[in-house]
PDB file of all heavy atoms in Angstrom:
ATOM      1  N   LEU B  80       6.856  41.521  -0.047  1.00 94.00           N
ATOM      2  CA  LEU B  80       5.648  40.987  -0.667  1.00 94.00           C
ATOM      3  C   LEU B  80       5.863  39.528  -1.054  1.00 94.00           C
ATOM      4  O   LEU B  80       6.815  39.205  -1.757  1.00 94.00           O
ATOM      5  CB  LEU B  80       5.289  41.815  -1.908  1.00 94.00           C
ATOM      6  CG  LEU B  80       4.168  41.279  -2.790  1.00 94.00           C
ATOM      7  CD1 LEU B  80       2.836  41.266  -2.041  1.00 94.00           C
ATOM      8  CD2 LEU B  80       4.028  42.118  -4.060  1.00 94.00           C
ATOM      9  N   VAL B  81       4.997  38.661  -0.576  1.00 92.00           N
ATOM     10  CA  VAL B  81       5.020  37.265  -1.002  1.00 92.00           C
ATOM     11  C   VAL B  81       3.865  37.071  -1.972  1.00 92.00           C
ATOM     12  O   VAL B  81       2.711  37.250  -1.615  1.00 92.00           O
ATOM     13  CB  VAL B  81       4.864  36.291   0.185  1.00 92.00           C
ATOM     14  CG1 VAL B  81       4.996  34.855  -0.297  1.00 92.00           C
ATOM     15  CG2 VAL B  81       5.896  36.592   1.252  1.00 92.00           C
ATOM     16  N   MET B  82       4.206  36.725  -3.212  1.00 87.00           N
ATOM     17  CA  MET B  82       3.177  36.647  -4.238  1.00 87.00           C
ATOM     18  C   MET B  82       2.331  35.394  -4.109  1.00 87.00           C
ATOM     19  O   MET B  82       2.717  34.417  -3.488  1.00 87.00           O
ATOM     20  CB  MET B  82       3.827  36.674  -5.612  1.00 87.00           C
ATOM     21  CG  MET B  82       4.490  37.995  -5.912  1.00 87.00           C
ATOM     22  SD  MET B  82       4.990  38.012  -7.614  1.00 87.00           S
ATOM     23  CE  MET B  82       6.448  38.997  -7.488  1.00 87.00           C
ATOM     24  N   GLN B  83       1.187  35.446  -4.770  1.00 84.00           N
ATOM     25  CA  GLN B  83       0.241  34.342  -4.686  1.00 84.00           C
ATOM     26  C   GLN B  83       0.797  33.057  -5.312  1.00 84.00           C
ATOM     27  O   GLN B  83       0.713  31.990  -4.741  1.00 84.00           O
ATOM     28  CB  GLN B  83      -1.051  34.749  -5.395  1.00 84.00           C
ATOM     29  CG  GLN B  83      -2.083  33.659  -5.418  1.00 84.00           C
ATOM     30  CD  GLN B  83      -3.429  34.158  -5.902  1.00 84.00           C
ATOM     31  OE1 GLN B  83      -3.592  35.319  -6.241  1.00 84.00           O
ATOM     32  NE2 GLN B  83      -4.394  33.285  -5.936  1.00 84.00           N
ATOM     33  N   ASN B  84       1.370  33.203  -6.494  1.00 82.00           N
ATOM     34  CA  ASN B  84       1.875  32.020  -7.191  1.00 82.00           C
ATOM     35  C   ASN B  84       3.389  31.933  -6.997  1.00 82.00           C
ATOM     36  O   ASN B  84       4.129  32.732  -7.547  1.00 82.00           O
ATOM     37  CB  ASN B  84       1.527  32.127  -8.681  1.00 82.00           C
ATOM     38  CG  ASN B  84       1.902  30.881  -9.439  1.00 82.00           C
ATOM     39  OD1 ASN B  84       2.644  30.025  -8.935  1.00 82.00           O
ATOM     40  ND2 ASN B  84       1.399  30.767 -10.654  1.00 82.00           N
ATOM     41  N   PRO B  85       3.872  30.958  -6.214  1.00 85.00           N
ATOM     42  CA  PRO B  85       5.305  30.895  -5.921  1.00 85.00           C
ATOM     43  C   PRO B  85       6.148  30.776  -7.196  1.00 85.00           C
ATOM     44  O   PRO B  85       7.287  31.218  -7.237  1.00 85.00           O
ATOM     45  CB  PRO B  85       5.445  29.647  -5.051  1.00 85.00           C
ATOM     46  CG  PRO B  85       4.204  28.854  -5.258  1.00 85.00           C
ATOM     47  CD  PRO B  85       3.135  29.830  -5.634  1.00 85.00           C
ATOM     48  N   ASP B  86       5.562  30.190  -8.249  1.00 82.00           N
ATOM     49  CA  ASP B  86       6.320  30.003  -9.490  1.00 82.00           C
ATOM     50  C   ASP B  86       6.660  31.333 -10.159  1.00 82.00           C
ATOM     51  O   ASP B  86       7.511  31.396 -11.034  1.00 82.00           O
ATOM     52  CB  ASP B  86       5.552  29.107 -10.459  1.00 82.00           C
ATOM     53  CG  ASP B  86       5.328  27.723  -9.852  1.00 82.00           C
ATOM     54  OD1 ASP B  86       6.060  27.396  -8.897  1.00 82.00           O
ATOM     55  OD2 ASP B  86       4.434  27.015 -10.309  1.00 82.00           O
ATOM     56  N   HIS B  87       5.971  32.404  -9.758  1.00 82.00           N
ATOM     57  CA  HIS B  87       6.294  33.721 -10.293  1.00 82.00           C
ATOM     58  C   HIS B  87       7.460  34.342  -9.529  1.00 82.00           C
ATOM     59  O   HIS B  87       7.931  35.412  -9.861  1.00 82.00           O
ATOM     60  CB  HIS B  87       5.087  34.665 -10.199  1.00 82.00           C
ATOM     61  CG  HIS B  87       3.957  34.261 -11.085  1.00 82.00           C
ATOM     62  ND1 HIS B  87       2.726  34.860 -11.040  1.00 82.00           N
ATOM     63  CD2 HIS B  87       3.882  33.304 -12.031  1.00 82.00           C
ATOM     64  CE1 HIS B  87       1.934  34.281 -11.929  1.00 82.00           C
ATOM     65  NE2 HIS B  87       2.610  33.331 -12.535  1.00 82.00           N
ATOM     66  N   GLN B  88       7.882  33.687  -8.471  1.00 81.00           N
ATOM     67  CA  GLN B  88       8.850  34.293  -7.574  1.00 81.00           C
ATOM     68  C   GLN B  88      10.154  33.490  -7.499  1.00 81.00           C
ATOM     69  O   GLN B  88      11.220  34.048  -7.355  1.00 81.00           O
ATOM     70  CB  GLN B  88       8.207  34.379  -6.176  1.00 81.00           C
ATOM     71  CG  GLN B  88       8.894  35.284  -5.222  1.00 81.00           C
ATOM     72  CD  GLN B  88       7.961  35.685  -4.070  1.00 81.00           C
ATOM     73  OE1 GLN B  88       6.763  35.514  -4.148  1.00 81.00           O
ATOM     74  NE2 GLN B  88       8.536  36.207  -3.018  1.00 81.00           N
ATOM     75  N   LEU B  89      10.050  32.161  -7.610  1.00 85.00           N
ATOM     76  CA  LEU B  89      11.213  31.301  -7.413  1.00 85.00           C
ATOM     77  C   LEU B  89      11.956  31.109  -8.725  1.00 85.00           C
ATOM     78  O   LEU B  89      11.352  30.894  -9.764  1.00 85.00           O
ATOM     79  CB  LEU B  89      10.765  29.941  -6.869  1.00 85.00           C
ATOM     80  CG  LEU B  89       9.981  30.005  -5.557  1.00 85.00           C
ATOM     81  CD1 LEU B  89       9.467  28.624  -5.173  1.00 85.00           C
ATOM     82  CD2 LEU B  89      10.843  30.561  -4.441  1.00 85.00           C
ATOM     83  N   PHE B  90      13.294  31.168  -8.670  1.00 85.00           N
ATOM     84  CA  PHE B  90      14.043  30.995  -9.922  1.00 85.00           C
ATOM     85  C   PHE B  90      15.407  30.350  -9.755  1.00 85.00           C
ATOM     86  O   PHE B  90      16.080  30.045 -10.729  1.00 85.00           O
ATOM     87  CB  PHE B  90      14.179  32.340 -10.635  1.00 85.00           C
ATOM     88  CG  PHE B  90      15.043  33.330  -9.886  1.00 85.00           C
ATOM     89  CD1 PHE B  90      16.337  33.581 -10.298  1.00 85.00           C
ATOM     90  CD2 PHE B  90      14.554  33.973  -8.771  1.00 85.00           C
ATOM     91  CE1 PHE B  90      17.139  34.483  -9.596  1.00 85.00           C
ATOM     92  CE2 PHE B  90      15.335  34.874  -8.063  1.00 85.00           C
ATOM     93  CZ  PHE B  90      16.631  35.122  -8.484  1.00 85.00           C
ATOM     94  N   GLU B  97      17.860  30.285  -3.031  1.00 92.00           N
ATOM     95  CA  GLU B  97      16.691  31.147  -3.224  1.00 92.00           C
ATOM     96  C   GLU B  97      16.568  32.135  -2.059  1.00 92.00           C
ATOM     97  O   GLU B  97      16.311  33.317  -2.246  1.00 92.00           O
ATOM     98  CB  GLU B  97      15.458  30.247  -3.301  1.00 92.00           C
ATOM     99  CG  GLU B  97      14.198  30.903  -3.779  1.00 92.00           C
ATOM    100  CD  GLU B  97      14.271  31.301  -5.238  1.00 92.00           C
ATOM    101  OE1 GLU B  97      14.525  30.466  -6.122  1.00 92.00           O
ATOM    102  OE2 GLU B  97      14.069  32.495  -5.476  1.00 92.00           O
ATOM    103  N   ALA B 145       8.810  30.453  -1.045  1.00 91.00           N
ATOM    104  CA  ALA B 145       8.611  31.850  -1.444  1.00 91.00           C
ATOM    105  C   ALA B 145       8.436  32.727  -0.203  1.00 91.00           C
ATOM    106  O   ALA B 145       8.980  33.826  -0.104  1.00 91.00           O
ATOM    107  CB  ALA B 145       7.401  31.971  -2.367  1.00 91.00           C
ATOM    108  N   LEU B 146       7.680  32.200   0.736  1.00 89.00           N
ATOM    109  CA  LEU B 146       7.432  32.918   1.986  1.00 89.00           C
ATOM    110  C   LEU B 146       8.743  33.107   2.747  1.00 89.00           C
ATOM    111  O   LEU B 146       9.053  34.197   3.240  1.00 89.00           O
ATOM    112  CB  LEU B 146       6.447  32.081   2.805  1.00 89.00           C
ATOM    113  CG  LEU B 146       5.904  32.629   4.094  1.00 89.00           C
ATOM    114  CD1 LEU B 146       5.078  33.868   3.802  1.00 89.00           C
ATOM    115  CD2 LEU B 146       5.006  31.581   4.758  1.00 89.00           C
ATOM    116  N   SER B 148      11.767  33.238   1.621  1.00 92.00           N
ATOM    117  CA  SER B 148      12.703  34.159   0.992  1.00 92.00           C
ATOM    118  C   SER B 148      12.396  35.603   1.386  1.00 92.00           C
ATOM    119  O   SER B 148      13.288  36.439   1.418  1.00 92.00           O
ATOM    120  CB  SER B 148      12.690  33.987  -0.532  1.00 92.00           C
ATOM    121  OG  SER B 148      11.475  34.451  -1.060  1.00 92.00           O
ATOM    122  N   VAL B 149      11.146  35.881   1.673  1.00 91.00           N
ATOM    123  CA  VAL B 149      10.797  37.236   2.102  1.00 91.00           C
ATOM    124  C   VAL B 149      10.922  37.397   3.617  1.00 91.00           C
ATOM    125  O   VAL B 149      11.472  38.375   4.110  1.00 91.00           O
ATOM    126  CB  VAL B 149       9.375  37.607   1.626  1.00 91.00           C
ATOM    127  CG1 VAL B 149       8.947  38.947   2.185  1.00 91.00           C
ATOM    128  CG2 VAL B 149       9.326  37.610   0.102  1.00 91.00           C
TER     129      VAL B 149
END
Side-chain angles (χ1 to χ4, degrees):
Chain B
L80 172 64
V81 184
M82 293 189 213
Q83 178 170 1
N84 185 346
D86 299 341
H87 293 172
Q88 196 160 344
L89 302 175
F90 67 103
E97 192 68 56
L146 186 64
S148 70
V149 174

